[in-house]
């Protein structure tokens, strides 16, 4: 798995059009891609993980070729990237 984003200071988060309450600014989030290009398998692994926030930028939104996982304090949410 390739980690494409982890902690982002607020200025960096803003420059990449991150939401103002992004879990990245608290170092509670990762964006990732499979090294072997098997997005289906990585999706399965992430859905079975303990991540409470899962962002799908592959199958549920415009294909941006990454998944987001975070440890937000609320219950499990899976959301698309538009």
């Amino acid at each position: 798995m390739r980690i494409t984003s982890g902690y982002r200071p607020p200025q960096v988060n803003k420059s990449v059009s991150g939401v103002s309450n992004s879990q990245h600014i608290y170092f509670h989030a990762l964006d990732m891609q499979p090294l072997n290009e098997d997005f289906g398998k990585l999706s399965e692994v992430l859905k079975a993980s303990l991540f409470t926030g899962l962002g799908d930028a592959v199958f549920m939104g415009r294909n941006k070729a990454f998944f987001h996982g975070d440890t937000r304090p609320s219950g499990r949410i899976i959301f698309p990237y538009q």
Side-chain angles (χ1 to χ4, degrees):
M1 177 176 22
R2 173 183 301 117
I3 305 298
T4 60
S5 184
Y7 170 73
R8 294 195 298 240
Q11 297 115 314
V12 172
N13 188 63
K14 186 175 183 178
S15 74
V16 298
S17 301
V19 296
S20 62
N21 64 341
S22 171
Q23 294 298 305
H24 287 280
I25 63 176
Y26 305 108
F27 209 164
H28 293 173
L30 298 173
D31 292 340
M32 56 209 104
Q33 301 171 318
L35 290 173
N36 65 357
E37 302 298 321
D38 190 345
F39 286 94
K41 181 64 175 176
L42 182 54
S43 177
E44 290 175 25
V45 169
L46 293 175
K47 287 177 182 174
S49 75
L50 296 177
F51 283 119
T52 50
L54 292 175
D56 185 336
V58 178
F59 302 116
M60 292 175 66
R62 286 182 283 165
N63 189 348
K64 296 183 179 185
F66 74 94
F67 291 109
H68 166 97
D70 67 53
T71 57
R72 64 187 65 210
S74 62
R76 169 64 69 95
I77 181 172
I78 299 176
F79 55 93
Y81 275 84
Q82 299 302 322

XYZ file of all heavy atoms in Angstrom:
647
model
N 0.850 -1.169 0.000
C 0.000 0.000 0.000
C 0.895 1.232 0.000
O 1.897 1.285 0.708
C -0.888 -0.035 1.246
C -1.753 1.144 1.392
S -2.912 1.118 2.774
C -2.264 -0.026 3.907
N 0.503 2.202 -0.776
C 1.212 3.478 -0.847
C 0.378 4.513 -0.096
O -0.814 4.682 -0.380
C 1.364 3.902 -2.307
C 1.945 5.294 -2.504
C 2.002 5.709 -3.984
N 2.812 4.773 -4.739
C 2.347 4.017 -5.736
N 1.088 4.081 -6.107
N 3.143 3.189 -6.376
N 0.990 5.194 0.868
C 0.330 6.293 1.581
C 0.604 7.568 0.794
O 1.760 7.947 0.610
C 0.855 6.434 3.028
C 0.733 5.118 3.801
C 0.169 7.593 3.745
C -0.663 4.605 3.964
N -0.441 8.207 0.328
C -0.271 9.420 -0.470
C -0.483 10.694 0.336
O -0.106 11.771 -0.112
C -1.221 9.413 -1.678
O -2.567 9.348 -1.212
C -0.928 8.224 -2.584
N -1.094 10.568 1.510
C -1.302 11.732 2.368
C -1.542 11.260 3.794
O -2.237 10.280 4.018
C -2.505 12.548 1.887
O -2.653 13.720 2.667
N -0.934 11.954 4.733
C -1.139 11.689 6.155
C -1.479 13.014 6.817
O -2.440 13.689 6.434
N -0.632 13.428 7.771
C -0.842 14.714 8.422
C -0.688 15.835 7.408
O 0.223 15.820 6.571
C 0.158 14.914 9.556
C 0.136 16.322 10.097
C -0.929 16.752 10.880
C 1.152 17.216 9.795
C -0.976 18.052 11.360
C 1.114 18.517 10.271
C 0.058 18.929 11.050
O 0.009 20.211 11.512
N -1.592 16.807 7.486
C -1.486 18.014 6.671
C -1.710 19.221 7.563
O -2.767 19.337 8.203
C -2.550 18.029 5.565
C -2.373 16.957 4.537
C -3.188 17.196 3.287
N -4.616 17.232 3.498
C -5.478 16.397 2.912
N -5.042 15.433 2.112
N -6.767 16.526 3.128
N -0.738 20.129 7.641
C -0.983 21.381 8.361
C -2.156 22.112 7.708
O -2.439 21.910 6.523
C 0.318 22.173 8.177
C 1.340 21.173 7.767
C 0.604 20.070 7.059
N -2.852 22.955 8.464
C -4.027 23.639 7.922
C -3.790 24.353 6.589
O -4.633 24.289 5.700
C -4.414 24.622 9.027
C -3.952 23.934 10.282
C -2.666 23.249 9.895
N -2.628 25.000 6.422
C -2.379 25.712 5.159
C -2.263 24.739 3.990
O -2.752 25.008 2.899
C -1.089 26.549 5.232
C -1.150 27.632 6.262
C -0.142 27.365 7.369
O -0.024 26.254 7.889
N 0.571 28.398 7.754
N -1.613 23.603 4.210
C -1.483 22.595 3.157
C -2.856 21.995 2.868
O -3.233 21.810 1.706
C -0.471 21.499 3.552
C -0.475 20.351 2.555
C 0.921 22.088 3.701
N -3.615 21.708 3.912
C -4.955 21.158 3.733
C -5.803 22.086 2.875
O -6.507 21.647 1.965
C -5.612 20.919 5.097
C -6.906 20.175 4.969
O -6.949 19.043 4.518
N -7.988 20.828 5.375
N -5.733 23.380 3.146
C -6.490 24.356 2.361
C -6.007 24.385 0.918
O -6.812 24.440 -0.013
C -6.368 25.744 2.994
C -7.224 26.787 2.343
C -7.164 28.105 3.086
C -8.089 29.107 2.445
N -8.083 30.379 3.178
N -4.692 24.294 0.711
C -4.146 24.377 -0.648
C -4.526 23.172 -1.510
O -4.516 23.263 -2.731
C -2.620 24.530 -0.612
O -1.994 23.312 -0.270
N -4.869 22.041 -0.882
C -5.298 20.862 -1.643
C -6.822 20.722 -1.631
O -7.352 19.664 -1.942
C -4.615 19.559 -1.135
C -3.117 19.643 -1.311
C -4.998 19.230 0.299
N -7.505 21.789 -1.245
C -8.975 21.846 -1.202
C -9.573 20.867 -0.197
O -10.673 20.361 -0.381
C -9.582 21.608 -2.588
O -9.116 22.578 -3.489
N -8.836 20.601 0.896
C -9.371 19.762 1.974
C -10.443 20.513 2.742
O -10.423 21.745 2.815
N -11.381 19.778 3.311
C -12.434 20.424 4.110
C -11.823 21.010 5.377
O -10.796 20.535 5.869
C -13.587 19.444 4.437
C -14.286 18.995 3.176
C -13.097 18.254 5.240
N -12.458 22.032 5.924
C -11.877 22.756 7.058
C -11.734 21.908 8.315
O -10.873 22.172 9.143
C -12.690 24.010 7.367
O -14.014 23.652 7.730
N -12.568 20.877 8.468
C -12.473 20.000 9.643
C -11.863 18.642 9.281
O -12.153 17.641 9.911
C -13.841 19.823 10.293
C -14.832 19.121 9.366
O -14.644 19.073 8.155
N -15.888 18.585 9.940
N -11.012 18.626 8.263
C -10.391 17.390 7.793
C -9.685 16.641 8.924
O -8.997 17.246 9.751
C -9.361 17.704 6.702
O -8.603 16.558 6.385
N -9.850 15.344 8.946
C -9.145 14.518 9.933
C -7.642 14.541 9.690
O -6.857 14.236 10.583
C -9.685 13.088 9.898
C -11.126 12.965 10.354
C -11.300 13.396 11.790
O -10.640 12.889 12.686
N -12.181 14.347 12.013
N -7.201 14.940 8.495
C -5.767 15.035 8.195
C -5.081 16.074 9.078
O -3.921 15.884 9.447
C -5.536 15.385 6.725
C -5.818 14.267 5.781
N -4.925 13.243 5.554
C -6.893 14.015 5.001
C -5.441 12.408 4.667
N -6.642 12.844 4.324
N -5.764 17.162 9.409
C -5.100 18.209 10.202
C -4.910 17.791 11.662
O -4.167 18.428 12.387
C -5.817 19.579 10.101
C -7.222 19.532 10.658
C -5.813 20.084 8.673
C -7.940 20.884 10.665
N -5.549 16.704 12.066
C -5.378 16.161 13.418
C -4.509 14.901 13.409
O -4.352 14.253 14.425
C -6.743 15.832 14.028
C -7.681 17.002 14.018
C -8.774 17.027 13.153
C -7.469 18.092 14.844
C -9.638 18.107 13.120
C -8.323 19.182 14.810
C -9.407 19.181 13.954
O -10.251 20.258 13.917
N -3.987 14.534 12.249
C -3.215 13.310 12.015
C -4.028 12.064 12.363
O -3.546 11.111 12.947
C -1.878 13.318 12.750
C -0.800 12.518 12.071
C 0.520 12.698 12.416
C -1.083 11.584 11.093
C 1.527 11.964 11.806
C -0.096 10.848 10.473
C 1.220 11.045 10.828
N -5.302 12.108 11.989
C -6.205 10.973 12.194
C -6.609 10.343 10.870
O -7.580 9.582 10.838
C -7.473 11.422 12.924
C -7.231 11.854 14.327
N -8.227 12.417 15.093
C -6.143 11.825 15.118
C -7.753 12.720 16.286
N -6.487 12.369 16.317
N -5.898 10.675 9.772
C -6.337 10.190 8.463
C -5.160 9.850 7.557
O -4.080 10.429 7.677
C -7.202 11.244 7.781
N -5.431 8.919 6.657
C -4.486 8.530 5.609
C -5.243 8.426 4.294
O -6.384 7.975 4.268
C -3.879 7.152 5.896
C -3.067 6.976 7.161
C -2.717 5.502 7.342
C -1.808 7.816 7.089
N -4.586 8.810 3.216
C -5.067 8.512 1.875
C -4.116 7.472 1.321
O -2.901 7.552 1.539
C -5.068 9.757 0.989
C -6.091 10.790 1.426
O -7.037 10.426 2.156
O -5.946 11.958 1.037
N -4.663 6.471 0.623
C -3.817 5.353 0.206
C -4.235 4.766 -1.124
O -5.379 4.930 -1.555
C -3.799 4.284 1.283
C -5.173 3.764 1.680
S -5.260 3.202 3.389
C -6.131 4.546 4.148
N -3.256 4.094 -1.746
C -3.459 3.394 -3.008
C -2.809 2.016 -2.890
O -1.794 1.872 -2.209
C -2.762 4.124 -4.158
C -3.213 5.525 -4.380
C -2.323 6.233 -5.379
O -1.114 6.099 -5.358
N -2.941 7.009 -6.259
N -3.347 1.017 -3.583
C -2.693 -0.292 -3.587
C -1.499 -0.277 -4.538
O -1.582 0.274 -5.645
C -3.784 -1.235 -4.110
C -4.629 -0.363 -4.978
C -4.600 1.011 -4.336
N -0.389 -0.841 -4.115
C 0.788 -0.898 -4.977
C 0.543 -1.781 -6.197
O 1.101 -1.549 -7.263
C 1.999 -1.421 -4.204
C 2.546 -0.468 -3.144
C 3.641 -1.151 -2.326
C 3.076 0.807 -3.787
N -0.305 -2.795 -6.041
C -0.562 -3.731 -7.142
C -1.772 -3.332 -7.993
O -2.211 -4.108 -8.825
C -0.742 -5.150 -6.605
C -1.978 -5.295 -5.737
O -2.701 -4.327 -5.475
N -2.225 -6.505 -5.270
N -2.323 -2.136 -7.754
C -3.476 -1.622 -8.509
C -4.770 -2.397 -8.267
O -5.744 -2.218 -8.992
C -3.176 -1.575 -10.018
C -1.972 -0.726 -10.386
C -2.115 0.739 -10.021
O -3.213 1.295 -10.180
O -1.120 1.329 -9.567
N -4.807 -3.259 -7.242
C -6.030 -4.025 -6.936
C -6.900 -3.207 -5.977
O -6.931 -3.444 -4.769
C -5.672 -5.384 -6.341
C -6.872 -6.317 -6.224
O -8.027 -5.832 -6.335
O -6.656 -7.528 -6.009
N -7.621 -2.251 -6.535
C -8.459 -1.365 -5.728
C -9.608 -2.118 -5.075
O -10.043 -1.767 -3.986
C -8.980 -0.202 -6.580
C -7.937 0.825 -6.882
C -7.205 0.765 -8.058
C -7.671 1.846 -5.985
C -6.230 1.710 -8.336
C -6.701 2.792 -6.249
C -5.973 2.726 -7.436
N -10.100 -3.155 -5.729
C -11.174 -3.957 -5.153
C -10.743 -4.624 -3.855
O -11.469 -4.607 -2.865
N -9.556 -5.209 -3.845
C -9.050 -5.883 -2.636
C -8.788 -4.869 -1.527
O -9.143 -5.104 -0.366
C -7.777 -6.668 -2.959
C -7.206 -7.403 -1.778
C -8.149 -8.482 -1.281
C -7.517 -9.287 -0.171
N -8.439 -10.257 0.389
N -8.171 -3.739 -1.871
C -7.921 -2.720 -0.843
C -9.233 -2.220 -0.264
O -9.344 -2.016 0.948
C -7.092 -1.565 -1.394
C -6.739 -0.465 -0.387
C -6.046 -1.018 0.858
C -5.896 0.614 -1.044
N -10.247 -2.068 -1.089
C -11.560 -1.652 -0.596
C -12.103 -2.653 0.412
O -12.606 -2.274 1.479
C -12.532 -1.495 -1.765
O -13.812 -1.152 -1.309
N -11.997 -3.940 0.109
C -12.449 -4.984 1.035
C -11.696 -4.919 2.355
O -12.296 -5.027 3.436
C -12.238 -6.368 0.416
C -13.138 -6.704 -0.726
C -12.772 -8.040 -1.363
O -12.173 -8.893 -0.669
O -13.072 -8.218 -2.549
N -10.384 -4.776 2.282
C -9.549 -4.715 3.493
C -9.942 -3.512 4.342
O -10.085 -3.617 5.568
C -8.050 -4.666 3.121
C -7.195 -4.325 4.332
C -7.608 -5.989 2.509
N -10.139 -2.371 3.715
C -10.497 -1.163 4.467
C -11.875 -1.274 5.099
O -12.077 -0.831 6.231
C -10.415 0.065 3.562
C -9.005 0.426 3.094
C -9.053 1.568 2.102
C -8.105 0.749 4.268
N -12.820 -1.888 4.399
C -14.158 -2.061 4.971
C -14.130 -3.001 6.171
O -14.970 -2.897 7.064
C -15.126 -2.568 3.916
C -15.499 -1.485 2.918
C -16.397 -2.006 1.826
C -16.711 -0.899 0.831
N -17.464 -1.399 -0.319
N -13.159 -3.910 6.229
C -13.019 -4.827 7.360
C -12.134 -4.240 8.463
O -11.971 -4.852 9.513
C -12.442 -6.163 6.887
N -11.584 -3.056 8.239
C -10.654 -2.443 9.193
C -11.409 -1.712 10.315
O -12.635 -1.655 10.326
C -9.754 -1.439 8.468
O -10.478 -0.252 8.170
N -10.643 -1.122 11.203
C -11.214 -0.339 12.299
C -11.348 1.148 11.962
O -11.719 1.938 12.826
C -10.360 -0.516 13.561
C -10.320 -1.937 14.122
C -9.393 -2.008 15.339
C -11.707 -2.437 14.472
N -11.047 1.522 10.719
C -11.269 2.918 10.330
C -12.748 3.241 10.510
O -13.612 2.480 10.104
C -10.889 3.161 8.873
C -9.411 3.275 8.620
C -8.777 2.382 7.777
C -8.668 4.277 9.202
C -7.417 2.481 7.520
C -7.310 4.400 8.958
C -6.685 3.495 8.116
N -13.041 4.385 11.127
C -14.433 4.784 11.297
C -14.915 5.664 10.149
O -16.109 5.753 9.903
C -14.640 5.514 12.633
O -13.660 6.546 12.762
C -14.541 4.549 13.799
N -14.010 6.306 9.451
C -14.346 7.081 8.273
C -13.639 6.499 7.071
O -12.426 6.335 7.083
N -14.401 6.160 6.046
C -13.830 5.641 4.803
C -14.314 6.493 3.643
O -15.517 6.621 3.432
C -14.245 4.183 4.571
C -13.682 3.154 5.532
C -14.295 1.788 5.245
C -12.166 3.094 5.421
N -13.368 7.078 2.936
C -13.694 7.849 1.749
C -13.326 7.052 0.521
O -12.195 6.592 0.387
N -14.295 6.877 -0.357
C -14.095 6.094 -1.571
C -14.009 7.039 -2.759
O -15.006 7.586 -3.199
C -15.251 5.109 -1.741
C -15.086 4.171 -2.914
O -14.350 4.513 -3.863
O -15.713 3.111 -2.888
N -12.798 7.243 -3.256
C -12.585 8.085 -4.431
C -12.316 7.220 -5.657
O -11.765 7.679 -6.637
C -11.425 9.031 -4.190
N -12.706 5.951 -5.593
C -12.486 5.027 -6.697
C -13.814 4.571 -7.275
O -14.116 4.810 -8.437
C -11.644 3.811 -6.254
C -11.464 2.828 -7.393
C -10.294 4.256 -5.696
N -14.631 3.903 -6.470
C -15.865 3.293 -6.959
C -17.097 4.159 -6.732
O -18.048 4.097 -7.508
C -16.077 1.927 -6.295
C -14.939 0.979 -6.525
C -14.176 0.529 -5.464
C -14.617 0.554 -7.802
C -13.111 -0.349 -5.672
C -13.566 -0.317 -8.021
C -12.808 -0.767 -6.955
N -17.114 4.961 -5.661
C -18.315 5.724 -5.320
C -18.302 7.150 -5.867
O -19.330 7.807 -5.903
C -18.487 5.782 -3.796
C -18.808 4.449 -3.174
S -18.863 4.525 -1.360
C -20.269 5.584 -1.079
N -17.158 7.666 -6.204
C -17.064 9.029 -6.708
C -16.319 9.028 -8.029
O -16.130 7.986 -8.643
N -15.900 10.200 -8.441
C -15.065 10.257 -9.634
C -13.763 9.552 -9.310
O -13.186 9.752 -8.250
C -14.792 11.705 -10.022
C -16.023 12.357 -10.644
C -15.736 13.759 -11.065
N -15.733 14.572 -9.845
C -15.252 15.793 -9.776
N -14.717 16.349 -10.821
N -15.306 16.469 -8.656
N -13.293 8.721 -10.200
C -12.121 7.901 -9.916
C -10.870 8.756 -9.777
O -10.254 9.144 -10.764
C -11.921 6.839 -10.991
C -10.838 5.850 -10.591
O -10.102 6.058 -9.642
N -10.746 4.774 -11.325
N -10.510 9.021 -8.537
C -9.298 9.770 -8.239
C -8.176 8.834 -7.788
O -7.133 9.276 -7.363
C -9.577 10.824 -7.166
C -10.549 11.888 -7.614
C -10.728 12.932 -6.538
C -11.690 14.012 -6.995
N -11.790 15.089 -6.003
N -8.452 7.529 -7.832
C -7.428 6.500 -7.595
C -6.847 6.503 -6.180
O -5.656 6.293 -5.997
C -6.330 6.579 -8.646
N -7.698 6.736 -5.171
C -7.233 6.574 -3.792
C -8.416 6.301 -2.877
O -9.566 6.567 -3.217
C -6.444 7.797 -3.300
C -7.295 9.008 -2.997
C -7.757 9.238 -1.705
C -7.621 9.919 -3.989
C -8.540 10.350 -1.418
C -8.396 11.034 -3.712
C -8.855 11.250 -2.425
N -8.100 5.763 -1.725
C -9.065 5.608 -0.641
C -8.575 6.427 0.540
O -7.380 6.633 0.726
C -9.192 4.146 -0.200
C -9.847 3.259 -1.213
C -9.101 2.325 -1.901
C -11.199 3.345 -1.470
C -9.688 1.495 -2.835
C -11.806 2.519 -2.405
C -11.047 1.589 -3.087
N -9.513 6.861 1.347
C -9.235 7.630 2.564
C -9.703 6.792 3.749
O -10.778 6.200 3.706
C -10.028 8.944 2.492
C -10.111 9.690 3.777
N -9.258 10.722 4.084
C -10.947 9.559 4.832
C -9.576 11.190 5.286
N -10.604 10.497 5.751
N -8.897 6.741 4.791
C -9.307 6.100 6.038
C -8.995 7.018 7.201
O -7.933 7.645 7.225
N -9.917 7.127 8.140
C -9.656 7.964 9.310
C -10.249 7.351 10.563
O -10.997 6.379 10.505
C -10.139 9.404 9.095
C -11.646 9.558 8.997
O -12.363 9.092 9.910
O -12.121 10.162 8.021
N -9.891 7.942 11.682
C -10.336 7.450 12.988
C -11.178 8.507 13.691
O -10.946 8.833 14.852
C -9.132 7.041 13.860
O -8.250 8.171 13.990
C -8.384 5.874 13.272
N -12.170 9.011 12.989
C -13.080 10.009 13.570
C -13.816 9.393 14.766
O -14.037 8.182 14.789
C -14.056 10.538 12.528
C -15.000 9.476 11.996
C -15.850 9.962 10.848
N -15.007 10.271 9.716
C -15.294 11.200 8.821
N -16.420 11.879 8.891
N -14.477 11.451 7.836
N -14.196 10.203 15.739
C -14.820 9.660 16.946
C -16.262 9.187 16.766
O -16.777 8.462 17.602
C -14.761 10.825 17.936
C -14.644 12.047 17.097
C -13.927 11.636 15.842
N -16.905 9.568 15.674
C -18.292 9.139 15.460
C -18.333 7.700 14.962
O -17.310 7.055 14.785
C -18.959 10.062 14.441
O -18.287 9.968 13.201
N -19.514 7.207 14.702
C -19.665 5.861 14.177
C -19.174 5.744 12.744
O -18.801 6.732 12.116
N -19.210 4.554 12.203
C -18.710 4.264 10.854
C -19.495 5.039 9.804
O -20.716 5.083 9.821
C -18.801 2.764 10.611
C -18.573 2.233 9.194
C -17.224 2.411 8.565
N -16.089 1.725 9.026
C -15.595 0.582 8.562
N -16.223 -0.096 7.645
N -14.481 0.092 9.033
N -18.753 5.645 8.909
C -19.335 6.338 7.763
C -18.479 5.995 6.538
O -17.260 5.944 6.633
C -19.423 7.865 7.981
C -20.055 8.559 6.774
C -18.075 8.458 8.293
C -20.345 10.031 6.985
N -19.137 5.727 5.428
C -18.459 5.530 4.151
C -19.014 6.607 3.220
O -20.228 6.731 3.068
C -18.701 4.127 3.593
C -18.155 3.086 4.564
C -18.051 3.982 2.213
C -18.436 1.647 4.157
N -18.125 7.385 2.629
C -18.582 8.511 1.820
C -17.843 8.566 0.490
O -16.695 8.139 0.387
C -18.421 9.831 2.592
C -17.018 10.088 3.087
C -16.125 10.823 2.318
C -16.604 9.622 4.322
C -14.846 11.071 2.776
C -15.318 9.859 4.783
C -14.432 10.587 4.010
N -18.503 9.093 -0.530
C -17.865 9.247 -1.838
C -17.096 10.559 -1.934
O -17.418 11.517 -1.236
C -19.037 9.258 -2.807
C -20.138 9.897 -2.015
C -19.927 9.424 -0.591
N -16.090 10.589 -2.765
C -15.434 11.840 -3.142
C -16.035 12.274 -4.470
O -16.171 11.470 -5.379
C -13.922 11.640 -3.319
C -13.164 11.753 -2.042
C -13.035 10.674 -1.186
C -12.551 12.951 -1.690
C -12.336 10.786 -0.012
C -11.844 13.063 -0.502
C -11.751 11.968 0.323
O -11.046 12.090 1.487
N -16.436 13.492 -4.573
C -17.075 13.999 -5.801
C -16.110 14.679 -6.702
O -15.191 15.126 -6.705
C -18.219 14.925 -5.459
C -19.301 14.238 -4.677
C -19.897 13.040 -5.394
O -20.064 13.076 -6.619
N -20.187 11.987 -4.682
